[in-house]
Amino acid sequence: MTSQLPVDDRLTSPDGDRWRDPTRRPDERADALIPLMSLEEKVAQLVGLWVGADASGEGVAPHQTDMVEHTPPWSEAIRYGLGQLTRPFGTAPVDPVRGARSLAASQAQIVAASRFGIPAQVHEECLTGFAAWRATVYPAPLSWGAAFDPELVEEMADRIGRSMRAAGVHQGLAPVLDVTRDYRWGRTEETIGEDPYLVGTVGAAYVRGLERAGVVATLKHFAGYSASRGGRNLGPVPMGRRELTDVILPPFEMALRLGGARSVMHSYAEIDGVPVAADEELLTGLLRDRWGFGGVLVADYFAVRFLQSLHGVAADAGDAAGLALRAGIDVELPTVDAYGAPLVAAVRSGAVAEALVDRALRRVLIQKIELGLLDEGWQELPDDVDELRLDDEAGRSVALRLARQSVVLLRNSDGVLPLAADKQVALIGPVADDPMAMLGCYSFPLHVGVHYPEHGVGVEIPSLRTALQQRHPRLTYLPGTAVTGDDTSGIAAAVQAATEADVCVLAVGDRAGMFGRGTSGEGCDAVDLDLPGAQAELVRAVLATGTPVVLVVLSGRPYALGAQVDDAAAVVQAFFPGQLGGQALAEVLTGEVNPSGRLPVSVPRHGGGLPGTYLSPPLGHRTQVSSVDPTPAFPFGHGLSYTTFEWDEATVAGADDTGPTPWPVDGTATVGVTVRNTGSWAGAEVVQLYLHDPVAQTTRPVVRLVGYARVSLRPGEAARVTFEVPADVTSFTGLRGRRVVEPGDVELRLARSSGDPVAHLALRLVGVEREVGPERELVSRARVAPATRGRR
């Protein structure tokens, strides 16, 4: 079905037709169209409308009134056009084919209703896959970080984007680039990790995949959201500009420059008393003027109104709309509110300049033109819609590979893993037989499907019990306790089962949900990092049996497992590994797959107090001036394998015996190491490169990640891993508030984790202090090549 744009006699002059001309640049077409539009037509392009696809395939379902009390009727809402359609697939379960037909019917109505016939841009959530019924559910972002494999994440995002485009969706609200600062925050599961370099490189890969598929990637949440006081959702952020610049912002720079993201969603946060939604310096001065972002900035859901209702910096909706527009927010989501009638009234009264509306409109129109939505050949119904399948073999294959690579083996005493085939295994724990334990809160089954149990999950999700039973029939199962609550009545039976078994696999962790419906997820913040409910009591009781225990943690955040963690024979961590996570875990436990994941967050030893990530200066680590030891049980980057790896010949190019190797402040250092698989299993090692800056003009993290490479080796095989490290990656915010490369002695540490360096390479940055800006080099380049024959 091809849409023919309506003809208006007032728009048929040569000048009036310029906006239709596909041979002109998008900005020229937008500039030609804007003067032809009334204020109401302009503002209509700056709002979304929250609707759901009708299960019959005949148009929108009347869900919008369920979302916002004062949302206008459909016919009135589209009278002057419409900027965006919010989550037609992600509001209620709808068959994908019927959903696509319903969306096409809605678009036809939008085109026919207004003078210019501009279709809506359609957006959906896509953090763990296209958030639609019967769509593949991929691992959550912490699992992306644990895999240390940007190429695989890019492949996943490409699959997600292709499925969205096939359904008629133009924009995805992902990835989340918040660097987690407090694990108690419920949305830690949505972050890629606690290190900005890891978050940025993996996040940029996701963006590349989604954008390559033709879907606009939307970076979330710009910025500071993850650093709230006490880890509370929407809590104030007591953060200085140095932490914001050096820790929070770099992943967004990477995703824009290295990924090519075309949209950004602002953060709900208020930083030092200024709500981000009203922060012109951040959203325009930094993002647009200094970084050069030319895409569309969208509001997080209801955040424009929050300037009035939560932050108290706006008197009414029109005032909130003016603050948001001046700051740089182009589109209000999820549905028409402050950017509707209140904004029109504010412009007419002179309180808000119409030029601000035009500025936002220009960006919106340019993006729609780039997407082909203003071309006469635009199709509202995608090709081959009847063949639309959102959960296919190719997608499941990628989901399984990523899940396998994300499982982290933290401990394996006496080789209890992999499980021997002749051992009697007791499988215990509240998440052991729960398929939903594999999913994050933004997966469709938990985000939306939980409200529609009569429709079923939509995809097959084997639990750990199901997958392990297929591989290890000598298995007994008991839950022991629930994820939440204080019922301990099942612990005694679980202890008995563990006592009678040769090995006990004890699976504990989270149930993702939203706003208190889970133990992890948006609005599900934690007061401490102890396991939820009575699970810690279950762990203590089972460990006390003396039976070797394999502790499996399936969670959305790292939990402090207490002193008892040292009594576990093995510890395995998985972060919501997706619909095939149960299979991946069972394969690791039984040895079908050699674990290769590495921690994207540290695992704390103690559950109380304020958690701190590894990115801390010396006084943030163990000291003699405090009785509290924050040393984690397992550090960032840690992970074991069933095979062994030998590292040798760590070198830095140009080194001699006279002292630290010179490294020009505008140059590149080349370091390398040979890695050999000395065990009997094929496996993957993750070579990590950290910077240590012992003396600087401001306090610096003891170490921080500046490079990594995932290396797969067969038994006896070796590879040479080389990093080309630009001096720019050593930069930080100096005393005068400028980002600088500072001369002086530094170390590059080749390491198995942030706490396990293998080689310390001494270098000296030479030259004068050098200021760097947004054009600086952001990443180290890693190369993996077969090692020279004969090297040991």
Side-chain angles (χ1 to χ4, degrees), residues 329-349:
I329 297 173
D330 301 317
V331 177
E332 181 184 30
L333 298 179
T335 203
V336 56
D337 183 21
Y339 275 23
L343 177 56
V344 172
V347 172
R348 290 240 156 87
S349 72

PDB file of all heavy atoms in Angstrom, residues 329-349:
ATOM      1  N   ILE A 329      14.605  20.180  24.239  1.00  0.00           N
ATOM      2  CA  ILE A 329      13.788  18.978  24.015  1.00  0.00           C
ATOM      3  C   ILE A 329      12.857  19.224  22.844  1.00  0.00           C
ATOM      4  O   ILE A 329      12.035  20.143  22.857  1.00  0.00           O
ATOM      5  CB  ILE A 329      12.998  18.615  25.290  1.00  0.00           C
ATOM      6  CG1 ILE A 329      13.961  18.266  26.419  1.00  0.00           C
ATOM      7  CG2 ILE A 329      12.043  17.454  25.015  1.00  0.00           C
ATOM      8  CD1 ILE A 329      13.285  18.052  27.768  1.00  0.00           C
ATOM      9  N   ASP A 330      12.952  18.379  21.832  1.00  0.00           N
ATOM     10  CA  ASP A 330      12.199  18.574  20.595  1.00  0.00           C
ATOM     11  C   ASP A 330      10.822  17.933  20.618  1.00  0.00           C
ATOM     12  O   ASP A 330       9.869  18.487  20.065  1.00  0.00           O
ATOM     13  CB  ASP A 330      12.988  17.992  19.410  1.00  0.00           C
ATOM     14  CG  ASP A 330      14.352  18.624  19.248  1.00  0.00           C
ATOM     15  OD1 ASP A 330      14.443  19.864  19.365  1.00  0.00           O
ATOM     16  OD2 ASP A 330      15.327  17.886  19.023  1.00  0.00           O
ATOM     17  N   VAL A 331      10.710  16.742  21.213  1.00  0.00           N
ATOM     18  CA  VAL A 331       9.469  15.962  21.153  1.00  0.00           C
ATOM     19  C   VAL A 331       9.074  15.537  22.557  1.00  0.00           C
ATOM     20  O   VAL A 331       9.894  15.003  23.305  1.00  0.00           O
ATOM     21  CB  VAL A 331       9.626  14.714  20.256  1.00  0.00           C
ATOM     22  CG1 VAL A 331       8.349  13.878  20.259  1.00  0.00           C
ATOM     23  CG2 VAL A 331       9.981  15.120  18.832  1.00  0.00           C
ATOM     24  N   GLU A 332       7.808  15.755  22.897  1.00  0.00           N
ATOM     25  CA  GLU A 332       7.282  15.302  24.178  1.00  0.00           C
ATOM     26  C   GLU A 332       6.709  13.903  24.021  1.00  0.00           C
ATOM     27  O   GLU A 332       5.877  13.657  23.145  1.00  0.00           O
ATOM     28  CB  GLU A 332       6.188  16.248  24.681  1.00  0.00           C
ATOM     29  CG  GLU A 332       5.619  15.818  26.024  1.00  0.00           C
ATOM     30  CD  GLU A 332       4.472  16.689  26.509  1.00  0.00           C
ATOM     31  OE1 GLU A 332       3.732  17.232  25.659  1.00  0.00           O
ATOM     32  OE2 GLU A 332       4.308  16.837  27.729  1.00  0.00           O
ATOM     33  N   LEU A 333       7.174  13.000  24.873  1.00  0.00           N
ATOM     34  CA  LEU A 333       6.669  11.636  24.901  1.00  0.00           C
ATOM     35  C   LEU A 333       6.169  11.346  26.318  1.00  0.00           C
ATOM     36  O   LEU A 333       6.582  11.988  27.275  1.00  0.00           O
ATOM     37  CB  LEU A 333       7.776  10.647  24.523  1.00  0.00           C
ATOM     38  CG  LEU A 333       8.377  10.776  23.120  1.00  0.00           C
ATOM     39  CD1 LEU A 333       9.479   9.731  22.929  1.00  0.00           C
ATOM     40  CD2 LEU A 333       7.322  10.647  22.040  1.00  0.00           C
ATOM     41  N   PRO A 334       5.263  10.366  26.449  1.00  0.00           N
ATOM     42  CA  PRO A 334       4.789   9.441  25.424  1.00  0.00           C
ATOM     43  C   PRO A 334       3.557   9.932  24.689  1.00  0.00           C
ATOM     44  O   PRO A 334       3.195   9.401  23.643  1.00  0.00           O
ATOM     45  CB  PRO A 334       4.440   8.198  26.244  1.00  0.00           C
ATOM     46  CG  PRO A 334       3.922   8.757  27.528  1.00  0.00           C
ATOM     47  CD  PRO A 334       4.774   9.969  27.792  1.00  0.00           C
ATOM     48  N   THR A 335       2.873  10.960  25.242  1.00  0.00           N
ATOM     49  CA  THR A 335       1.609  11.354  24.654  1.00  0.00           C
ATOM     50  C   THR A 335       1.431  12.855  24.785  1.00  0.00           C
ATOM     51  O   THR A 335       2.142  13.522  25.553  1.00  0.00           O
ATOM     52  CB  THR A 335       0.449  10.573  25.297  1.00  0.00           C
ATOM     53  OG1 THR A 335      -0.673  10.550  24.419  1.00  0.00           O
ATOM     54  CG2 THR A 335       0.046  11.136  26.657  1.00  0.00           C
ATOM     55  N   VAL A 336       0.491  13.401  24.053  1.00  0.00           N
ATOM     56  CA  VAL A 336       0.297  14.842  24.009  1.00  0.00           C
ATOM     57  C   VAL A 336      -0.126  15.358  25.377  1.00  0.00           C
ATOM     58  O   VAL A 336      -1.047  14.862  26.002  1.00  0.00           O
ATOM     59  CB  VAL A 336      -0.738  15.222  22.929  1.00  0.00           C
ATOM     60  CG1 VAL A 336      -2.056  14.508  23.142  1.00  0.00           C
ATOM     61  CG2 VAL A 336      -0.925  16.724  22.880  1.00  0.00           C
ATOM     62  N   ASP A 337       0.602  16.376  25.868  1.00  0.00           N
ATOM     63  CA  ASP A 337       0.302  16.961  27.171  1.00  0.00           C
ATOM     64  C   ASP A 337       0.758  18.419  27.157  1.00  0.00           C
ATOM     65  O   ASP A 337       0.095  19.268  26.584  1.00  0.00           O
ATOM     66  CB  ASP A 337       0.979  16.151  28.277  1.00  0.00           C
ATOM     67  CG  ASP A 337       0.647  16.667  29.681  1.00  0.00           C
ATOM     68  OD1 ASP A 337      -0.377  17.349  29.830  1.00  0.00           O
ATOM     69  OD2 ASP A 337       1.422  16.394  30.618  1.00  0.00           O
ATOM     70  N   ALA A 338       1.925  18.699  27.748  1.00  0.00           N
ATOM     71  CA  ALA A 338       2.390  20.083  27.842  1.00  0.00           C
ATOM     72  C   ALA A 338       2.682  20.685  26.480  1.00  0.00           C
ATOM     73  O   ALA A 338       2.513  21.896  26.275  1.00  0.00           O
ATOM     74  CB  ALA A 338       3.635  20.146  28.727  1.00  0.00           C
ATOM     75  N   TYR A 339       3.132  19.871  25.532  1.00  0.00           N
ATOM     76  CA  TYR A 339       3.419  20.366  24.189  1.00  0.00           C
ATOM     77  C   TYR A 339       2.165  20.448  23.317  1.00  0.00           C
ATOM     78  O   TYR A 339       2.271  20.710  22.112  1.00  0.00           O
ATOM     79  CB  TYR A 339       4.455  19.477  23.505  1.00  0.00           C
ATOM     80  CG  TYR A 339       5.912  19.803  23.810  1.00  0.00           C
ATOM     81  CD1 TYR A 339       6.271  20.495  24.967  1.00  0.00           C
ATOM     82  CD2 TYR A 339       6.930  19.417  22.954  1.00  0.00           C
ATOM     83  CE1 TYR A 339       7.601  20.775  25.262  1.00  0.00           C
ATOM     84  CE2 TYR A 339       8.271  19.695  23.234  1.00  0.00           C
ATOM     85  CZ  TYR A 339       8.597  20.368  24.387  1.00  0.00           C
ATOM     86  OH  TYR A 339       9.910  20.646  24.669  1.00  0.00           O
ATOM     87  N   GLY A 340       0.999  20.234  23.897  1.00  0.00           N
ATOM     88  CA  GLY A 340      -0.246  20.378  23.168  1.00  0.00           C
ATOM     89  C   GLY A 340      -0.836  21.765  23.366  1.00  0.00           C
ATOM     90  O   GLY A 340      -0.175  22.785  23.135  1.00  0.00           O
ATOM     91  N   ALA A 341      -2.068  21.823  23.840  1.00  0.00           N
ATOM     92  CA  ALA A 341      -2.754  23.099  24.022  1.00  0.00           C
ATOM     93  C   ALA A 341      -1.991  24.060  24.934  1.00  0.00           C
ATOM     94  O   ALA A 341      -1.959  25.273  24.651  1.00  0.00           O
ATOM     95  CB  ALA A 341      -4.166  22.850  24.557  1.00  0.00           C
ATOM     96  N   PRO A 342      -1.362  23.605  26.031  1.00  0.00           N
ATOM     97  CA  PRO A 342      -0.617  24.563  26.856  1.00  0.00           C
ATOM     98  C   PRO A 342       0.509  25.269  26.105  1.00  0.00           C
ATOM     99  O   PRO A 342       0.733  26.462  26.306  1.00  0.00           O
ATOM    100  CB  PRO A 342      -0.065  23.690  27.995  1.00  0.00           C
ATOM    101  CG  PRO A 342      -1.030  22.561  28.099  1.00  0.00           C
ATOM    102  CD  PRO A 342      -1.428  22.269  26.679  1.00  0.00           C
ATOM    103  N   LEU A 343       1.201  24.554  25.228  1.00  0.00           N
ATOM    104  CA  LEU A 343       2.277  25.192  24.467  1.00  0.00           C
ATOM    105  C   LEU A 343       1.712  26.172  23.451  1.00  0.00           C
ATOM    106  O   LEU A 343       2.240  27.286  23.278  1.00  0.00           O
ATOM    107  CB  LEU A 343       3.128  24.139  23.767  1.00  0.00           C
ATOM    108  CG  LEU A 343       4.247  24.672  22.869  1.00  0.00           C
ATOM    109  CD1 LEU A 343       5.177  25.611  23.638  1.00  0.00           C
ATOM    110  CD2 LEU A 343       5.033  23.531  22.250  1.00  0.00           C
ATOM    111  N   VAL A 344       0.630  25.803  22.781  1.00  0.00           N
ATOM    112  CA  VAL A 344       0.012  26.717  21.825  1.00  0.00           C
ATOM    113  C   VAL A 344      -0.392  28.015  22.517  1.00  0.00           C
ATOM    114  O   VAL A 344      -0.134  29.119  22.017  1.00  0.00           O
ATOM    115  CB  VAL A 344      -1.209  26.052  21.154  1.00  0.00           C
ATOM    116  CG1 VAL A 344      -1.977  27.069  20.309  1.00  0.00           C
ATOM    117  CG2 VAL A 344      -0.773  24.887  20.279  1.00  0.00           C
ATOM    118  N   ALA A 345      -1.005  27.884  23.695  1.00  0.00           N
ATOM    119  CA  ALA A 345      -1.432  29.070  24.432  1.00  0.00           C
ATOM    120  C   ALA A 345      -0.234  29.907  24.865  1.00  0.00           C
ATOM    121  O   ALA A 345      -0.286  31.154  24.822  1.00  0.00           O
ATOM    122  CB  ALA A 345      -2.257  28.655  25.640  1.00  0.00           C
ATOM    123  N   ALA A 346       0.840  29.262  25.280  1.00  0.00           N
ATOM    124  CA  ALA A 346       2.021  29.989  25.723  1.00  0.00           C
ATOM    125  C   ALA A 346       2.667  30.752  24.578  1.00  0.00           C
ATOM    126  O   ALA A 346       3.164  31.872  24.765  1.00  0.00           O
ATOM    127  CB  ALA A 346       3.022  29.021  26.346  1.00  0.00           C
ATOM    128  N   VAL A 347       2.664  30.184  23.380  1.00  0.00           N
ATOM    129  CA  VAL A 347       3.213  30.879  22.213  1.00  0.00           C
ATOM    130  C   VAL A 347       2.326  32.063  21.849  1.00  0.00           C
ATOM    131  O   VAL A 347       2.814  33.179  21.582  1.00  0.00           O
ATOM    132  CB  VAL A 347       3.369  29.917  21.019  1.00  0.00           C
ATOM    133  CG1 VAL A 347       3.753  30.685  19.758  1.00  0.00           C
ATOM    134  CG2 VAL A 347       4.402  28.842  21.324  1.00  0.00           C
ATOM    135  N   ARG A 348       1.023  31.839  21.859  1.00  0.00           N
ATOM    136  CA  ARG A 348       0.098  32.920  21.477  1.00  0.00           C
ATOM    137  C   ARG A 348       0.161  34.081  22.471  1.00  0.00           C
ATOM    138  O   ARG A 348      -0.027  35.232  22.084  1.00  0.00           O
ATOM    139  CB  ARG A 348      -1.317  32.364  21.403  1.00  0.00           C
ATOM    140  CG  ARG A 348      -1.512  31.415  20.222  1.00  0.00           C
ATOM    141  CD  ARG A 348      -2.616  31.936  19.264  1.00  0.00           C
ATOM    142  NE  ARG A 348      -2.430  31.394  17.925  1.00  0.00           N
ATOM    143  CZ  ARG A 348      -2.910  30.231  17.510  1.00  0.00           C
ATOM    144  NH1 ARG A 348      -3.592  29.471  18.342  1.00  0.00           N
ATOM    145  NH2 ARG A 348      -2.706  29.833  16.263  1.00  0.00           N
ATOM    146  N   SER A 349       0.450  33.778  23.730  1.00  0.00           N
ATOM    147  CA  SER A 349       0.523  34.838  24.733  1.00  0.00           C
ATOM    148  C   SER A 349       1.860  35.557  24.716  1.00  0.00           C
ATOM    149  O   SER A 349       2.019  36.584  25.390  1.00  0.00           O
ATOM    150  CB  SER A 349       0.278  34.252  26.126  1.00  0.00           C
ATOM    151  OG  SER A 349       1.402  33.477  26.547  1.00  0.00           O
TER     152      SER A 349
END
